[in-house]
Amino acid sequence: MKSEELKRNVFFEKLNDFSELVMLKHSVFSLPFIFIAMLVASYLDSGSGWFGWKLLFLGTVAAVSARNFAMGVNRYLDRDIDILNPRTKNRPSVDGRVSTGQMLLFIVINALIFIGVAYLINALAFELSVPILMVLGAYTVFKRFSALAHLILGVSLGLAPIAGVVAVSGEITLWSVYLAVGVMFWVAGFDLLYSLQDMAFDKANDLHSIPSKLGAEKTMLIARVFHILAVFFWALFIVNANLGIWAGTAVLFAAVMLTYEHYLVNKDFTKIDRAFFTVNGYLGFVFLFFIILEVI
């Protein structure tokens, strides 16, 4: 009995290590927007927002496996950087809790899961699966030579609504592109704010982040511009999809929450974590809630 209990404890400890490795709880940033796209696509195609249990399951697995792949690649390639940064030196990828072999296996398994799920969804999803994985893996490489890495991260999460509409409709619509571009600027904007924490480290280690190149004041200005653009493109999404008052309310609430995020960061840099995780985590679900009201 003690042997079985020990094995069980080891299993759950390892599971927790992988969860920490990819920060699984932060899937909240991408999941709402893939479901927003799926709800709206179904609503416009059939008059009903419900797209079925099968697509709900496959969409969830696709989103989680894609994010696991991206985070796995990031942690694997960033080991040499993370070990030097006081903020990241205790990550499982650095302190030995997850070995390089385990990380590589994790990356391969999640890539295969994503491709397999895409195959089960439809032909277009399958054709796009490998290019999507290539984009998801590009962020870590980009930040070593270009400050545009913040936008590459935005593109990575912006693919979520594109994937959602492809899953339901088998095509890429203009409104989904507007939604995706809004997500891109939203993510790039809050990544800029989050990167302020590593501004000195990035400069010392020749990493190409915007804060290390332009400083805090200009970074916060660019982040504000990005978030204004996010709200603008989300408004275009609402108009192009011909949605109503509840969807408009979603955009309004998003604008208010982003304004509050900038208020927090401008007031006190120590509140970056609160602005990054709490405000942005809630934003996606608030947006999803009002879209659900719209389509029902």
Side-chain angles (χ1 to χ4, degrees), residues 17-31:
D17 289 339
F18 275 102
S19 177
E20 185 182 339
L21 176 76
V22 300
M23 302 175 81
L24 192 60
K25 61 185 179 181
H26 297 157
S27 297
V28 295
F29 297 137
S30 58
L31 277 175

Side-chain angles (χ1 to χ4, degrees), residues 86-214:
R87 188 177 62 81
T88 59
K89 66 180 182 180
N90 293 322
R91 284 175 173 171
S93 52
V94 177
D95 63 16
R97 282 178 287 158
V98 178
S99 70
T100 54
Q102 289 171 337
M103 276 188 282
L104 286 172
L105 181 62
F106 180 79
I107 291 166
V108 171
I109 288 173
N110 278 281
L112 292 176
I113 290 172
F114 179 75
I115 294 169
V117 168
Y119 177 80
L120 294 174
I121 290 174
N122 58 46
L124 181 57
F126 181 60
E127 290 171 10
L128 293 175
S129 59
V130 173
I132 285 174
L133 290 178
M134 293 173 66
V135 173
L136 293 177
Y139 165 70
T140 302
V141 178
F142 251 82
K143 71 180 179 182
R144 293 174 184 260
F145 66 86
S146 173
L148 292 175
H150 305 283
L151 281 169
I152 297 300
L153 181 64
V155 170
S156 298
L157 271 75
L159 290 172
I162 298 293
V165 73
V166 166
V168 174
S169 302
E171 61 179 352
I172 300 174
T173 59
L174 181 58
W175 63 260
S176 69
V177 173
Y178 287 144
L179 178 60
V181 173
V183 171
M184 179 192 74
F185 281 118
W186 167 53
V187 172
F190 73 62
D191 187 57
L192 283 174
L193 297 179
Y194 190 68
S195 296
L196 289 170
Q197 298 176 106
D198 294 329
M199 183 167 53
F201 177 83
D202 290 348
K203 188 177 296 186
N205 289 274
D206 199 29
L207 294 175
H208 297 267
S209 68
I210 286 178
S212 70
K213 300 294 182 184
L214 301 179

Side-chain angles (χ1 to χ4, degrees), residues 46-66:
S46 66
S48 169
W50 179 234
F51 43 80
W53 290 106
K54 177 185 175 181
L55 279 182
L56 177 63
F57 174 74
L58 293 177
T60 302
V61 174
V64 172
S65 59

